[in-house]
Amino acid sequence: MTAFDLTAFRARFPSLASGIAHFDGPGGTQTPARVGEAIARTLTGPLSIRGASVASEANAEAAVGAFRRAYADLLGCAPEGIVYGRSATQLTYDFSRHLSQGWGPGDEVVVTRLDHDSNVRPWVQAAERAGATVRWIDFDPLTAEPDLSDLNGVVNGRTRLVAVGAASNLLGTRFPVRVVADRAHAVGALVYVDGVHHAAHAVVDVRELGADFYVCSPYKFLGPHCAVLAADPALLATITPDKLVPSPDTVPERFEYGTLPYEIMAGATEALDLTAELAPAGADRRSRLAAARTLVEEHEQALRGKVEAALAELGDDVVAHSRAAERTPTLFMTFPGRRSADVSRFLAERDVLAPAGSFYAHEAFARLGVDDTAGLRVGMAPYTSEDDVDRLLTGLTDALRV
C-alpha cells in the first residue's frame, strides 16, 4: 500500500489555512475544495428536475445515480438500497415511524446506553406510542465496554427491533454489532445500526455487520451535510411509508420526500472519489475505499496513541473515559476539580478546537456519572497532523497549570 502523504492531503482543505487545529471531527470534518467545487458545478448546471429530455434533466439523474453507486460501494450494498436523507436523525425518525406501524402491547424494542440520542429517542418514542416495551443494553462506565451478559434475556421472542450504534460518538467504543445482530435475527427481530461515527473510521460491510438498516453521515468524512441509509432493496420493498400520491412508489425513492438536492449528492459522491484516490489505482472503487480507510485509520490511531501516552503522564489531573479495547481515534476526558468547558475555552483561545459537551450521547454521558456538566472530546481526522497534536498537548498541559 502507498504511504499516506499527509502534506499533500492537507493542501486539499482551504479551511486548514486558518491555522486552527481541528479535533472536532466527530461533530463534522473540514471539507476539501473539490467537494465544494462539485456542489457548485452541479448547482450551476444546467440543472433541472430529473428526467432525460435535455441535458439539465440528465445531469440531475446522473447526480442521483452516481450518489447511490458511490455509497453502495462504501457500504457494501446494492445502489437500489441507498436512501438519501437530510440527517441521520431525520432518517431514523422516519424509519421509526415506518417500522412501528405494526407494533403493539407485548412487543419489545431494544436500545443501548452507548448510543447517540438519535438512535435512542426515536425508538423509545415510537414504542411509547405503540404501547410496546423498551429494553436497554447497558455499558460499564469504568471500561466503556457494552454489557452483553444478559443479551438472551434482553433480546427475546418479543423483540421487534434492536437499535445499536456501531461506534460511540462520545467514547469511541466499537460495539460488537454482529453478536447482537445474530441474536436479534435468531428471534426474528430487525437490526438498525447507527454508523455515523463508525463509517468515518472503519471499512464498512453492512452484510458482515448483520445490519438490516445502516445509517451514516457524509459530513463526518469530508462530505457535505446529509445522511445515507443502506438496506436490502427487498427489505425496503416490504415497508410502506406515508407519502404523496403522485410521488414515486419505487424503492428507494418512496422514502425520499420532495425534490432531492442534486448538488449535495454530487458533493457527497466527490468526497468518496477523493478518498478513494488515496489508495493505488487499478482496483474497483470499493476496494480502493477500503484500502484508503485502512491507511487513514493507521494514521489516526497512531496520533490517538500519542495523545493517550501524554494524558497518562498528566496523572490524576485528567480522567480518560475512552477505555474500550476496540475503539475509534476519539477520546473523551474530564478534569477533576475543573470544568471541561473552561479547558475547551483555553484551547480555543490558542486556535485548538476540542469542544466540550455531551454531544447528544445523553444516556452515555449520564451513565458515566461525572462531576461536570460536560466533558472534552478529542477526535482525530484524516487531516490531523503531529503539529496539531503537539499544540493540543501543550494547550492541555498549560490549561492544567492555570
Side-chain angles (χ1 to χ4, degrees):
M1 184 179 292
T2 58
F4 181 33
D5 187 342
L6 180 61
T7 300
F9 187 69
R10 284 175 60 89
R12 296 180 177 274
F13 296 80
S15 66
L16 297 184
S18 68
I20 299 170
H22 282 276
F23 292 93
D24 59 332
T29 53
Q30 299 302 294
T31 308
R34 265 178 51 183
V35 172
E37 290 162 2
I39 292 171
R41 184 170 60 250
T42 304
L43 184 60
T44 57
L47 187 66
S48 301
I49 298 295
R50 293 164 68 183
S53 64
V54 295
S56 58
E57 292 183 341
N59 286 344
E61 196 69 55
V64 175
F67 173 84
R68 298 203 201 284
R69 291 190 297 274
Y71 282 83
D73 285 346
L74 177 71
L75 303 176
C77 64
E80 297 79 15
I82 294 294
V83 179
Y84 174 88
R86 183 183 64 80
S87 68
T89 301
Q90 172 252 306
L91 282 169
T92 305
Y93 264 117
D94 282 352
F95 275 81
S96 73
R97 289 187 287 268
H98 304 332
L99 296 172
S100 65
Q101 290 179 20
W103 297 353
D107 292 329
E108 296 184 357
V109 178
V110 177
V111 293
T112 93
R113 298 199 188 279
L114 271 169
D115 274 55
H116 188 289
D117 209 49
S118 68
N119 202 33
V120 175
R121 219 53 52 190
W123 306 112
V124 169
Q125 291 164 351
E128 289 173 346
R129 284 193 297 271
T133 298
V134 176
R135 289 183 174 268
W136 295 83
I137 293 175
D138 205 351
F139 74 97
D140 184 343
L142 297 179
T143 64
E145 297 281 8
D147 179 3
L148 302 182
S149 59
D150 189 30
L151 180 61
N152 288 353
V154 174
V155 181
N156 56 65
R158 294 179 296 277
T159 305
R160 299 294 300 275
L161 179 134
V162 180
V164 299
S168 167
N169 74 304
L170 189 76
L171 297 166
T173 301
R174 294 182 189 266
F175 199 94
V177 174
R178 188 56 192 250
V179 173
V180 175
D182 285 347
R183 173 59 186 167
H185 291 151
V187 298
L190 293 170
V191 178
Y192 190 99
V193 177
D194 176 356
V196 172
H197 189 62
H198 177 252
H201 301 288
V203 177
V204 182
D205 188 315
V206 294
R207 296 185 185 92
E208 286 187 5
L209 278 175
D212 295 300
F213 306 92
Y214 182 98
V215 66
C216 64
S217 300
Y219 74 97
K220 307 291 187 176
F221 41 90
L222 315 183
H225 292 86
C226 62
V228 178
L229 181 139
D232 186 330
L235 174 59
L236 291 176
T238 68
I239 302 168
T240 304
D242 291 331
K243 68 173 201 64
L244 304 180
V245 171
S247 65
D249 196 38
T250 53
V251 169
E253 282 85 355
R254 70 187 188 194
F255 300 100
E256 297 166 334
Y257 298 116
T259 301
L260 290 168
Y262 311 120
E263 67 279 5
I264 298 298
M265 298 175 98
T269 300
E270 190 69 25
L272 294 190
D273 285 340
L274 183 151
T275 300
E277 290 174 9
L278 295 174
D284 62 89
R285 181 167 54 189
R286 174 155 175 79
S287 297
R288 295 184 72 193
L289 282 168
R293 274 282 190 271
T294 301
L295 192 66
V296 169
E297 182 72 352
E298 290 174 354
H299 164 70
E300 293 174 336
Q301 292 288 9
L303 295 179
R304 189 200 88 184
K306 180 175 180 176
V307 173
E308 288 179 325
L311 293 180
E313 293 180 1
L314 293 173
D316 295 339
D317 287 336
V318 180
V319 176
H321 299 278
S322 300
R323 301 169 181 166
E326 296 293 330
R327 59 188 187 274
T328 67
T330 297
L331 300 168
F332 188 70
M333 64 195 78
T334 53
F335 309 89
R338 298 174 184 271
R339 292 299 182 190
S340 298
D342 293 336
V343 177
S344 178
R345 278 192 293 271
F346 186 93
L347 293 171
E349 289 167 358
R350 289 148 183 80
D351 271 347
V352 177
L353 182 54
S358 56
F359 306 101
Y360 285 80
H362 175 75
E363 299 289 340
F365 183 74
R367 187 72 177 89
L368 291 175
V370 300
D371 185 22
D372 198 347
T373 58
L376 192 81
R377 186 176 66 181
V378 170
M380 313 304 155
Y383 45 73
T384 306
S385 68
E386 290 270 0
D387 180 66
D388 290 338
V389 168
D390 289 341
R391 289 171 59 194
L392 169 73
L393 296 175
T394 298
L396 283 174
T397 301
D398 291 345
L400 297 177
R401 289 174 178 162
V402 175

